Amino acid sequence: MNIEDITISDAKKLSAMRVRRRSFLVVLLFLTVGILSTNLTINLFENGLSLLEGCYIFLSTIAFLWIAQSFWTSTVGFAFRLFFPRNAAMKVSPVAAGLDVKACPVGRTAIVMPIYNEDPEMVFQGMEQTLRSVLATGHGNNYDFFVLSDTTKDEIAAQENILAQELLHRYALQGRFHYRRREKNTHRKVGNLKDFCDRWGTGYDYMLVLDADSIMSGETILNLTRMLDNNPNAGLIQAQPRAMGQKTLFGRLTQFNIRLTGELFSTGLSYWTLNDGNYWGHNAILRLKPFMEHCNLPTLSGKGPLSGDILSHDFVEAAWLRRAGYDVWIFPEGKGSYEQIPTNILDHIIRDQRWCQGNFQHTRLLGTKGLKPISRLHMLMGVMSYASSYLWMLLLVLSALLVTERTMPLGPVLELPAEWPSLQNHIMTPLSLFTVVMGMLFMPKIFALIIGYRDAKAYGGVIRITLSCLLEMTFSAITAPVVMIFHVRIITALLLGKTVQWNAQSRSGRNIPWSEAFKQHSAHLLAAAGLGAVYYLQAPELLPWLAPILTGLIISAPLAVAFGQEKIGLFLLNQGLLLIPEETRPPEELPILFSRFIQPSLLANDTRYLPKAAE
């Protein structure tokens, strides 16, 4: 059997695997949504079905589909993490099959970090930790390092240049470490990477993309390189990032949640998508030749927020690679792959504004010729991650109208079918249905907690990890309606033609002033007042069920202030709550991972990973 026969055989096996796995998902979704929607319909049909109730059922069915896909994706991830704790990622992602972790990398790789008006110390500390770890593997000669600056502020650029020269000389990397600044930020990050490809791309086989706050271990980078070496048709492999280095309450809650649940979900996602995976813009390795040939993104015609440069370029680049016939994989293993996250809820929403606009731009690309169906689905899911907030808001409004309709009928009613009373004896009660839906929403976190118990000491022990999980679940429930209102505001602004500003992302903690908190959360208070008044006047007995939503909306401003407080986050840290394993057992390959907690000079004084020529 020649090489071509093996490739064809593997492609057939992969195709058959895709059909099996996705058919399994479709059956699960059909049964789940069918059962939930049928039960809701029969419950509402008790006294006939009004137009409002029909609309409520239709929107609820869409919501059930959204909840069900998340639930079953996490369930599959849980099953693999439970039964294959050491190699779950390799079980679901064939790109890692037969990986020899001692093999020398073949491809030559450029490790690139695009930056834009960032904190220079943070950028170069992160790059240095990655660089040191790569050199420590003994295969450092296969990698070159690039800091690609789009910084527009001269004072920041001057500091970048100084730190770049220090890093270059400290590690004796002449010709292998490059700092380049573009004075014109043409086409933003996409243009930054294109400039790299035009100038240096032909000299490398692969490109590993870091974000300004990314850190990756040398061993992880080596294994990603080996995967591309072993899979000539792989165009991109996305690693799972873990959040790190957070001190504020919001940051530590989010960091804990990502650490506990992130790999569970990405394992399930990798199981369904296989080689039709996605790209998240950083902590990923790409094959440069097909990327350069096939990933020139269009500029969207017209005016307004859905035109111009594509802001969320990563989804589109993954889709373009798949269209060209190259595989895109999600490798759901977070070891050695790290990033930072917004430190408070308002900065989180500012980032979401850009992501939301970028994802909604994808609606203009859905009809692009030659795209794989799963690539279109990835784009739709990205849109739905924000549009779902509109869905939940509409359901809340409809629920208030339905309560009003009890005393003031708003339209004609479809009469109860003759056979309906017998069906009503065999369905879930409204309370049971509500419990099942809430269970599906929170069960992924329970699954993650069960997996976390296997290494409970790394999270502070069984009691502390349980308390931390309960704390995070409580805050998630309270902040969900807050985020919903923010997303509704963002989407409404887009629909009205308002374009977001592209500014450097805030990555350092800041205290939220009370004035800013109340200004940004005024819509939440109005929503709470309106929703609460309707239920109080029409159905006061239902107010306890609405309490979590109303509570989150009412205390949203004080919550925003508390979320930005480092002293609260560090107090919980000192109590052993919201711990993650990287804090209790810092990785050996990155001995000073949390650079935010140390003095920058320590990097220069620690010579464990310096090359011989520089010691």
Side-chain angles (χ1 to χ4, degrees):
M1 184 181 291
N2 58 38
I3 293 176
E4 185 179 357
D5 292 332
I6 294 173
T7 303
I8 292 172
S9 173
D10 288 344
K12 288 181 177 178
K13 288 180 181 178
L14 194 57
S15 178
M17 190 182 295
R18 283 199 305 266
V19 171
R20 287 196 305 272
R21 291 186 179 185
R22 291 172 195 174
S23 298
F24 179 42
L25 175 62
V26 169
V27 170
L28 290 174
L29 293 179
F30 181 80
L31 290 174
T32 305
V33 175
I35 290 170
L36 294 175
S37 293
T38 300
N39 276 274
L40 177 63
T41 302
I42 295 173
N43 272 300
L44 288 178
F45 227 139
E46 185 176 1
N47 297 310
L49 194 68
S50 70
L51 179 61
L52 274 180
E53 288 170 331
C55 292
Y56 189 83
I57 291 168
F58 174 74
L59 293 178
S60 294
T61 300
I62 299 174
F64 291 152
L65 181 61
W66 183 248
I67 294 169
Q69 61 82 24
S70 178
F71 170 75
W72 286 116
T73 297
S74 298
T75 301
V76 168
F78 170 68
F80 275 90
R81 291 283 167 181
L82 184 67
F83 295 110
F84 307 104
R86 294 184 179 179
N87 59 351
M90 294 188 179
K91 287 287 184 181
V92 300
S93 185
V95 71
L99 183 68
D100 181 0
V101 295
K102 294 184 179 179
C104 294
V106 177
R108 186 157 183 76
T109 303
I111 298 175
V112 305
M113 179 183 281
I115 61 174
Y116 173 67
N117 290 336
E118 307 284 352
D119 175 357
E121 287 191 359
M122 177 203 72
V123 166
F124 284 91
Q125 285 180 46
M127 173 56 88
E128 183 167 3
Q129 290 185 56
T130 299
L131 181 153
R132 291 154 66 87
S133 188
V134 170
L135 296 180
T137 65
H139 298 289
N141 289 334
N142 286 75
Y143 299 88
D144 289 352
F145 306 87
F146 294 81
V147 175
L148 306 173
S149 175
D150 261 2
T151 293
T152 57
K153 298 178 180 179
D154 290 339
E155 62 275 17
I156 296 178
Q159 193 175 357
E160 289 173 356
N161 190 53
I162 292 171
L163 292 173
Q165 293 304 313
E166 290 177 356
L167 193 59
L168 171 67
H169 294 298
R170 186 179 305 142
Y171 291 90
L173 288 172
Q174 283 76 8
R176 295 183 48 218
F177 176 83
H178 306 269
Y179 167 77
R180 185 273 285 136
R181 181 193 177 196
R182 284 199 313 165
E183 293 189 2
K184 291 187 177 180
N185 181 20
T186 309
H187 300 303
R188 301 185 175 93
K189 184 177 177 181
V190 172
N192 196 351
L193 288 176
K194 186 178 187 305
D195 179 78
F196 162 80
C197 290
D198 291 342
R199 295 177 63 178
W200 290 288
T202 55
Y204 298 93
D205 300 291
Y206 313 139
M207 174 174 69
L208 186 131
V209 182
L210 300 174
D211 214 350
D213 56 12
S214 297
I215 297 175
M216 294 188 75
S217 75
E219 201 58 44
T220 295
I221 292 172
L222 272 179
N223 284 334
L224 290 172
T225 308
R226 290 165 179 146
M227 289 180 205
L228 282 187
D229 286 341
N230 293 346
N231 296 273
N233 204 53
L236 187 151
I237 303 173
Q238 173 67 64
Q240 168 69 33
R242 293 173 176 173
M244 64 164 188
Q246 296 301 305
K247 293 187 279 187
T248 65
L249 175 60
F250 181 83
R252 294 197 60 77
L253 285 164
T254 308
Q255 173 180 277
F256 175 81
N257 180 48
I258 291 173
R259 183 63 178 87
L260 196 65
T261 65
E263 285 158 45
L264 198 75
F265 186 82
S266 62
T267 299
L269 186 62
S270 180
Y271 177 84
W272 303 126
T273 58
L274 284 169
N275 62 326
D276 287 321
N278 211 350
Y279 176 35
W280 303 329
H282 57 89
N283 291 46
I285 192 166
L286 305 92
R287 194 177 299 275
L288 257 174
K289 189 171 185 292
F291 180 80
M292 292 165 62
E293 290 177 352
H294 301 290
C295 291
N296 286 322
L297 302 188
T299 298
L300 299 177
S301 60
K303 296 181 179 180
L306 302 189
S307 63
D309 294 335
I310 297 173
L311 302 187
S312 295
H313 58 91
D314 37 19
F315 279 36
V316 184
E317 287 160 347
W320 264 227
L321 283 172
R322 286 300 293 131
R323 182 176 64 171
Y326 288 88
D327 296 338
V328 175
W329 297 91
I330 296 172
F331 188 64
E333 178 56 62
K335 182 180 179 183
S337 175
Y338 310 98
E339 66 171 343
Q340 292 190 33
I341 52 177
T343 58
N344 60 73
I345 192 168
L346 295 184
D347 287 339
H348 170 79
I349 294 301
I350 290 171
R351 185 184 69 173
D352 267 3
Q353 285 182 307
R354 187 173 72 243
W355 286 6
C356 180
Q357 180 174 327
N359 285 0
F360 270 74
Q361 285 179 315
H362 296 166
T363 58
R364 297 191 58 188
L365 301 172
L366 290 174
T368 303
K369 229 175 163 184
L371 289 187
K372 301 285 184 182
I374 195 71
S375 296
R376 302 182 205 272
L377 184 60
H378 281 310
M379 292 182 185
L380 282 173
M381 295 284 281
V383 173
M384 189 62 187
S385 64
Y386 294 97
S388 60
S389 291
Y390 245 103
L391 177 64
W392 295 119
M393 183 200 70
L394 289 173
L395 285 171
L396 278 175
V397 171
L398 280 176
S399 68
L401 292 174
L402 287 172
V403 167
T404 304
E405 195 178 39
R406 285 181 171 188
T407 54
M408 295 184 298
L410 300 177
V413 174
L414 184 64
E415 294 299 327
L416 186 70
E419 66 275 11
W420 221 254
S422 62
L423 290 176
Q424 288 180 312
N425 296 326
H426 304 283
I427 65 165
M428 289 183 277
T429 64
L431 178 59
S432 299
L433 182 60
F434 177 81
T435 303
V436 169
V437 173
M438 289 298 103
M440 290 176 64
L441 281 170
F442 284 101
M443 191 55 69
K445 295 181 186 289
I446 303 301
F447 287 154
L449 180 60
I450 293 170
I451 298 299
Y453 282 147
R454 283 183 159 170
D455 194 18
K457 285 185 179 179
Y459 290 93
V462 172
I463 294 176
R464 287 190 173 93
I465 187 178
T466 304
L467 290 174
S468 297
C469 192
L470 290 173
L471 186 64
E472 193 282 325
M473 288 170 67
T474 301
F475 275 102
S476 292
I478 290 173
T479 56
V482 178
V483 173
M484 176 193 73
I485 298 292
F486 273 129
H487 284 176
V488 167
R489 284 172 53 185
I490 293 169
I491 296 171
T492 302
L494 288 179
L495 295 176
L496 294 175
K498 186 177 180 180
T499 301
V500 302
Q501 297 296 315
W502 183 287
N503 297 314
Q505 181 177 312
S506 175
R507 306 179 195 271
S508 58
R510 71 181 180 98
N511 292 327
I512 303 297
W514 282 97
S515 57
E516 182 182 357
F518 277 107
K519 179 182 177 181
Q520 294 297 330
H521 290 274
S522 56
H524 300 84
L525 296 174
L526 289 173
L531 201 60
V534 170
Y535 274 83
Y536 177 76
L537 295 172
Q538 300 294 333
E541 72 278 8
L542 296 179
L543 278 175
W545 298 101
L546 201 65
I549 295 174
L550 293 178
T551 300
L553 296 175
I554 291 168
I555 67 169
S556 57
L559 201 60
V561 174
F563 273 153
Q565 296 292 318
E566 287 188 358
K567 59 184 178 183
I568 300 177
L570 294 177
F571 171 78
L572 293 173
L573 173 64
N574 291 331
Q575 305 307 309
L577 296 175
L578 302 176
L579 286 172
I580 60 172
E582 285 74 19
E583 291 171 329
T584 56
R585 294 196 302 248
E588 292 181 4
E589 71 273 15
L590 297 172
I592 39 182
L593 174 66
F594 298 99
S595 57
R596 291 288 178 155
F597 297 127
I598 64 168
Q599 295 297 321
S601 59
L602 290 181
L603 285 166
N605 295 334
D606 184 352
T607 61
R608 280 176 285 180
Y609 295 111
L610 286 173
K612 295 295 182 183
E615 287 183 350

